[in-house]
Amino acid sequence: MSGSVDLRRLCRFYHFMSIYDDQPNAHKRFMEKLDARIRNHDREIEKMCNFHHQGFVDAITELLKVRADAEKLMGQVTDTNRRLQDAGREVTAQTEEVIRCRVQQRNMATTVEKLQLCIPVLEMYSKLKEQLESKRYYAALKTMEQLEKVYIPRVSQYRFCQIMAENLPRLREEIKDISMSDLKDFLESIRKHSDKVGETAMRQAQQHRTFNSAVAKQASMGHYIKPVYSLNERTHAHTPNGLLMDDDTGDDEADEEILTAQDLVDFSPVYRCLHIYTVLGDRETFENYYRKQRKKQARLVLQPQANMHETVEGYRRYFNQIVGFFVVEDHILHATQGLVTRAYTDELWNMALSKIIAVLRTHSSYCDDPDLVLELKNLIVIFADTLQGFGFPVNRLFDLLFEVRDQYNETLLKKWALVFREIFELDNYSPIPVETEEEYKLVVSRFPFHDAEIEKQDFPKKLPMSQSVPQIYTQVKEFIYASLKFSESLHRSSTEIDDMLRKSTNLLLTRTLSSCLQNLIKKPHIGLTELVQIIINTTHLEQACRYLEEFITNITNVSPETVHTTRLYGLSTFKDARHAAEGEIYTKLNQKIDEFIQLADYEWGMAESDGRASGYLMDLINFLRSTFQVFTHLPNNNNDHASMSGKVAQTACMSACKHLSTSLMQMLLDTELKQISMGAIQQFNLDVIQCELFASSEPVPGFQGDTLQLAFIDLRQLLDLFMVWDWSTYLADYGQPTSKYLRVNPATALALLEKMKDTSKKNNIFSQFRKNDRDKQKLIETVVKQLRSLVNGMSS
């Protein structure tokens, strides 16, 4: 059936398509056919309807009957539906309530389940907040770690957990910043507390040193006590937390509270910061920062104040700060693992040690007070012992003390130079008078003087030296004591200390005392008497040097026979001073002679002499006699003194006579003196005779024969030649060892003869020659020519 329909449809389709395939009138024809076709169908339909009309009417009639039943049924259905809707509405409401309750129950169960997962997270986060507020940062970091690894992943889908997770890195940075801030506060605080830490450590070291000294003394007496501190070994040990703990000493000092660095400084910021950075995996950054900052602080600590050398407190503060710094570093080294290492502290200490030595070397050089230098030495020793107790090498500091010792000796030498000068200025340069036995014992108790002859004498009596001698001797001993103070506590052997004392004493004698003596001898107010007394004083001081050596030996207990023992150089020192004093005696005598000679007022053209010696020369001779009496007034009961004073007197007398002879000869030969009369020669001869009489009177005992008169032999032979006018003998015997005028130089004779020639026609002697015999004038000319010939022969 469906196939036929499809066939008809297809035919119609082709028929329809054929309409458009015909000519233009085909459409009209198609419409006409279509109308005819419709009319045919209408007629068929009308036939069909007429055939079924009755049945249709019957159906309509039945259908109208059913309509009433349908309306009744519709009413019943509607009523039933209304009643059903009313009943279902309450059921629906109860059902919706049940559904809502079940949803709520399900949501509540889900919520409880989720809350059970979230509550630990919130509790941990709350705990984290509490830890942060209470500054328990290390615990807070542990809590953060648990939150991130355990709790937050369980509820990571919730926004608040995401916020927490996002907030944790910020909290970590805050903890790092806070801990770093605490560390900076700690570093600032430790810089301020280093002084106190160092002061405490150095005080403890000093107490240990004092105790050890007492132990050593008791041990030397046969009593032994266990030491609590050793300078070479640490008898206290480090506890696990890095604190210092003294060994059990068994005495009362062990019960005393010993302050440590941790007692004075709170190190918790360092530990806390170290733990935090370790947990955060950034320990290296923290270590580098800590070491860098501590190095900066070390440089500040090592920088001294400009006026540090003026007071001992300046040095004390400087040492306290350094000790405090390294005590802290030592504590950090042992209380932490790896924050600082032994290599780091050693490097830091070596750097600091070089700076400390340079600073001390510079500042100690400015110090001119020996007491301050001594206190500085004691501070350096305590400083070195303190740091040595904490394991830092301090050998270079003890080497520095040798330089400081030299500086100390220099200051001592300057101080004692003033002492010696004052002693010399106050000395009366007279033998010490002693009236009683007590006075004598007082002097010999201060100075080792022993003289059997003087001891036999009755009181009152005089000791040969002046009062400066025992004072100088006492001050030399005081110097040795002062020098010894520096050698204490240097951990040096007795031999080394003995050598130090002897060398410093040698410097005192050979440089300071010698210089003071030389300056004293050159002073204008020191006269001949004082110079002679100085010579005697130096002799006694020289003899006392062996007692000074014994004094040093008794102090150090080092035998003087030791191979390397240094000897005192007092012998050369005082010998040089004596030679200088003797030379000054000769110089002053000659100067005095020159002063008298300057008073000479010869009338070189006088016709004849006055018949008596010149007044200036007699004054000069009297001065010489009184001067040489000074030597006879010196104590002569001691053979050494007599020998010494006699030798000096003889040398001085001979020097004075030679200088006088030379001065008189120069007076005759002065180039400014153009003419000399025979009368002047005669007058000059009288003065020379007085000089010869003085020489022959033995003004100083001990000269053999005419030794002293020989000082005037040149003058005597020259004057005899002119007085006798014995030119023929002079010229005939010239050059022979047996010549009567052997000491007369032809040039000298020629110069004097030239002054006596009658060049101005006013020479009386030549006028007399011309009146008496002109041949004598020719003889004079001949003598002059011969003398010139001799002089020229000598020069050629």
Side-chain angles (χ1 to χ4, degrees):
M1 185 67 183
S2 61
S4 61
V5 174
D6 292 336
L7 182 60
R8 285 196 299 270
R9 290 178 178 174
L10 183 61
C11 291
R12 291 175 182 173
F13 175 74
Y14 282 110
H15 180 72
F16 179 76
M17 292 298 295
S18 66
I19 295 175
Y20 293 94
D21 294 336
D22 291 338
Q23 298 297 324
N25 293 326
H27 180 271
K28 182 178 179 182
R29 288 193 301 272
F30 173 73
M31 292 302 296
E32 290 175 355
K33 290 180 180 180
L34 181 59
D35 291 338
R37 181 74 174 170
I38 291 172
R39 285 192 300 270
N40 291 330
H41 281 291
D42 289 337
R43 283 194 297 275
E44 289 179 0
I45 292 171
E46 185 178 358
K47 289 179 179 179
M48 182 65 68
C49 288
N50 290 330
F51 177 76
H52 294 288
H53 178 264
Q54 188 60 42
F56 178 73
V57 172
D58 294 336
I60 292 299
T61 303
E62 290 179 1
L63 184 60
L64 289 174
K65 292 179 180 177
V66 173
R67 179 178 182 181
D69 294 333
E71 289 179 353
K72 183 179 178 181
L73 180 61
M74 186 63 181
Q76 291 176 353
V77 170
T78 301
D79 183 60
T80 302
N81 180 62
R82 178 182 58 77
R83 286 186 287 104
L84 182 62
Q85 290 295 330
D86 291 340
R89 186 176 292 110
E90 182 178 354
V91 173
T92 300
Q94 292 178 354
T95 302
E96 291 177 353
E97 182 67 21
V98 171
I99 293 172
R100 186 179 63 81
C101 288
R102 288 181 177 177
V103 169
Q104 287 180 347
Q105 288 178 349
R106 185 175 65 251
N107 289 342
M108 290 175 64
T110 304
T111 300
V112 168
E113 180 183 356
K114 297 301 182 182
L115 284 177
Q116 287 177 346
L117 293 176
C118 292
I119 285 175
V121 179
L122 296 174
E123 288 178 346
M124 291 296 289
Y125 196 79
S126 176
K127 179 181 178 181
L128 172 63
K129 288 294 185 180
E130 292 177 357
Q131 291 170 340
L132 291 175
E133 290 175 358
S134 60
K135 298 183 178 181
R136 296 163 55 205
Y137 300 118
Y138 181 71
L141 290 175
K142 290 296 184 181
T143 302
M144 289 183 191
E145 184 178 3
Q146 291 181 347
L147 280 171
E148 285 181 328
K149 293 182 178 180
V150 178
Y151 293 96
I152 290 181
R154 297 174 181 174
V155 288
S156 59
Q157 68 274 21
Y158 299 110
R159 180 168 178 76
F160 79 92
C161 289
Q162 296 175 0
I163 295 174
M164 285 184 184
E166 293 172 357
N167 199 32
L168 291 181
R170 182 183 62 80
L171 292 177
R172 280 196 178 90
E173 291 300 321
E174 287 182 1
I175 291 174
K176 287 180 66 175
D177 294 341
I178 292 172
S179 61
M180 185 58 70
S181 177
D182 290 344
L183 177 65
K184 292 177 180 179
D185 293 340
F186 165 80
L187 292 175
E188 180 65 22
S189 174
I190 196 62
R191 189 176 68 85
K192 296 178 180 178
H193 286 83
S194 291
D195 193 359
K196 182 65 176 176
V197 174
E199 179 184 0
T200 302
M202 289 185 66
R203 184 170 62 249
Q204 291 174 1
Q206 189 171 13
Q207 291 172 352
H208 291 316
R209 171 180 289 279
T210 303
F211 182 82
N212 284 342
S213 299
V215 169
K217 290 181 180 179
Q218 293 186 8
S220 64
M221 297 171 62
H223 303 285
Y224 177 76
I225 296 179
K226 183 180 178 181
V228 298
Y229 185 83
S230 173
L231 296 179
N232 297 323
E233 299 180 0
R234 299 176 67 178
T235 58
H236 51 263
H238 280 286
T239 59
N241 62 354
L243 301 182
L244 297 178
M245 179 180 295
D246 285 349
D247 292 342
D248 185 9
T249 59
D251 56 24
D252 294 338
E253 284 194 8
D255 297 332
E256 296 180 0
E257 181 181 1
I258 299 179
L259 296 177
T260 63
Q262 193 171 17
D263 297 326
L264 300 172
V265 180
D266 180 16
F267 288 93
S268 59
V270 180
Y271 306 146
R272 187 163 54 245
C273 197
L274 176 62
H275 291 162
I276 288 171
Y277 273 78
T278 302
V279 170
L280 296 177
D282 205 8
R283 179 189 177 101
E284 184 178 358
T285 300
F286 173 75
E287 291 178 356
N288 293 336
Y289 176 82
Y290 177 84
R291 296 179 185 182
K292 181 179 179 181
Q293 294 302 314
R294 288 296 280 169
K295 283 185 177 180
K296 289 182 178 179
Q297 289 188 346
R299 294 187 179 95
L300 292 176
V301 166
L302 295 171
Q303 190 67 30
Q305 295 181 352
N307 60 344
M308 184 179 72
H309 61 277
E310 295 178 358
T311 62
V312 69
E313 287 303 319
Y315 288 108
R316 194 186 306 278
R317 286 193 298 270
Y318 182 67
F319 288 140
N320 286 344
Q321 291 177 355
I322 296 174
V323 170
F325 179 89
F326 283 100
V327 167
V328 169
E329 287 305 291
D330 181 77
H331 179 81
I332 293 294
L333 173 66
H334 293 86
T336 61
Q337 295 180 352
L339 177 55
V340 294
T341 62
R342 174 57 67 183
Y344 163 79
T345 55
D346 289 344
E347 178 186 357
L348 199 61
W349 170 243
N350 290 330
M351 180 273 293
L353 191 57
S354 299
K355 178 67 174 176
I356 293 167
I357 291 174
V359 167
L360 293 179
R361 183 179 289 123
T362 300
H363 282 262
S364 64
S365 64
Y366 297 146
C367 185
D368 55 2
D369 182 4
D371 294 333
L372 180 56
V373 178
L374 185 61
E375 290 182 345
L376 171 60
K377 167 258 174 181
N378 293 331
L379 282 177
I380 293 176
V381 171
I382 297 172
F383 173 72
D385 288 345
T386 303
L387 289 172
Q388 187 181 39
F390 286 94
F392 295 99
V394 294
N395 291 335
R396 291 173 62 189
L397 283 175
F398 284 102
D399 294 337
L400 172 68
L401 285 175
F402 283 96
E403 298 180 27
V404 179
R405 182 200 65 191
D406 295 337
Q407 174 66 19
Y408 176 69
N409 286 336
E410 288 297 323
T411 58
L412 286 181
L413 293 175
K414 291 179 181 178
K415 178 180 179 180
W416 257 260
L418 297 176
V419 172
F420 291 153
R421 289 171 191 168
E422 184 178 3
I423 290 174
F424 289 141
E425 289 176 0
L426 298 178
D427 193 9
N428 57 9
Y429 297 99
S430 300
I432 301 176
V434 287
E435 303 292 335
T436 62
E437 181 73 21
E438 289 73 17
E439 292 182 8
Y440 179 79
K441 290 182 178 179
L442 179 62
V443 173
V444 297
S445 66
R446 298 170 56 198
F447 180 76
F449 175 77
H450 303 285
D451 190 300
E453 294 296 330
I454 293 180
E455 290 177 356
K456 293 178 182 179
Q457 294 178 5
D458 297 330
F459 291 98
K461 52 188 174 183
K462 290 185 178 181
L463 304 183
M465 64 280 187
S466 66
Q467 62 183 3
S468 64
V469 172
Q471 293 174 351
I472 292 294
Y473 182 80
T474 301
Q475 287 301 322
V476 172
K477 291 173 66 176
E478 290 296 326
F479 176 87
I480 294 173
Y481 278 126
S483 182
L484 177 64
K485 288 181 180 178
F486 194 93
S487 301
E488 296 174 348
S489 307
L490 291 186
H491 312 306
R492 298 294 173 180
S493 65
S494 299
T495 304
E496 290 176 302
I497 294 176
D498 182 86
D499 187 63
M500 293 178 191
L501 289 181
R502 293 178 184 272
K503 287 181 178 179
S504 59
T505 306
N506 275 332
L507 282 177
L508 178 72
L509 297 177
T510 59
R511 195 172 77 183
T512 305
L513 183 55
S514 177
S515 176
C516 291
L517 284 170
Q518 296 292 339
N519 293 334
L520 172 68
I521 292 168
K522 297 295 183 182
K523 286 188 176 181
H525 72 276
I526 298 297
L528 296 173
T529 304
E530 288 81 1
L531 288 171
V532 173
Q533 185 62 56
I534 289 173
I535 292 174
I536 296 175
N537 290 349
T538 54
T539 302
H540 284 283
L541 288 172
E542 178 185 337
Q543 294 172 351
C545 283
R546 62 188 181 93
Y547 295 101
L548 291 176
E549 288 190 341
E550 293 177 1
F551 177 72
I552 295 175
T553 299
N554 292 333
I555 292 177
T556 60
N557 292 324
V558 176
S559 173
E561 284 75 23
T562 304
V563 176
H564 301 291
T565 300
T566 304
R567 299 297 178 182
L568 296 185
Y569 302 140
L571 181 64
S572 60
T573 297
F574 298 118
K575 187 173 292 184
D576 293 342
R578 280 200 303 276
H579 290 164
E582 292 171 6
E584 193 65 20
I585 287 176
Y586 312 146
T587 300
K588 286 185 180 294
L589 268 177
N590 294 341
Q591 290 175 351
K592 201 67 178 179
I593 292 172
D594 292 338
E595 292 176 5
F596 280 102
I597 289 179
Q598 289 176 1
L599 300 176
D601 187 16
Y602 286 103
E603 185 180 348
W604 296 108
M606 65 173 56
E608 59 183 15
S609 67
D610 296 337
R612 62 179 182 273
S614 303
Y616 86 92
L617 187 67
M618 297 306 298
D619 293 340
L620 171 58
I621 290 175
N622 291 331
F623 165 76
L624 292 176
R625 290 185 186 279
S626 62
T627 298
F628 292 122
Q629 285 296 319
V630 172
F631 296 93
T632 62
H633 292 162
L634 292 174
N636 56 7
N637 53 305
N638 184 289
N639 292 332
D640 292 337
H641 295 155
S643 175
M644 182 274 301
S645 61
K647 180 180 178 182
V648 174
Q650 291 171 12
T651 306
C653 188
M654 177 60 73
S655 174
C657 290
K658 287 183 177 180
H659 185 73
L660 177 57
S661 176
T662 302
S663 300
L664 291 174
M665 180 70 77
Q666 291 175 350
M667 190 185 301
L668 280 178
L669 302 178
D670 189 0
T671 56
E672 295 183 0
L673 178 60
K674 303 300 182 182
Q675 288 185 354
I676 300 178
S677 66
M678 183 57 72
I681 293 293
Q682 294 171 351
Q683 180 63 42
F684 199 81
N685 182 60
L686 292 176
D687 292 344
V688 174
I689 290 174
Q690 292 298 321
C691 294
E692 291 173 330
L693 290 174
F694 169 75
S696 62
S697 65
E698 198 176 9
V700 172
F703 287 108
Q704 296 180 357
D706 57 352
T707 302
L708 197 57
Q709 291 95 311
L710 292 177
F712 299 96
I713 189 64
D714 292 353
L715 267 177
R716 171 48 49 210
Q717 292 185 7
L718 179 64
L719 291 175
D720 286 348
L721 175 62
F722 277 84
M723 293 289 295
V724 179
W725 206 251
D726 194 8
W727 292 107
S728 58
T729 303
Y730 175 76
L731 294 173
D733 297 341
Y734 178 76
Q736 298 181 8
T738 59
S739 173
K740 180 180 179 181
Y741 304 102
L742 181 64
R743 305 300 296 270
V744 178
N745 189 290
T748 304
L750 178 62
L752 186 57
L753 188 59
E754 289 284 352
K755 296 177 186 292
M756 298 182 67
K757 286 178 60 177
D758 188 15
T759 56
S760 61
K761 306 299 183 180
K762 295 181 180 180
N763 191 309
N764 294 330
I765 185 173
F766 288 113
S767 297
Q768 182 180 4
F769 286 161
R770 286 194 297 272
K771 292 178 182 179
N772 295 332
D773 191 357
R774 291 183 179 272
D775 292 339
K776 290 186 178 181
Q777 180 65 29
K778 294 180 180 179
L779 179 61
I780 296 299
E781 295 294 337
T782 302
V783 172
V784 169
K785 290 181 181 180
Q786 291 179 350
L787 290 175
R788 287 177 179 170
S789 176
L790 292 175
V791 172
N792 292 333
M794 293 175 61
S795 61
S796 62

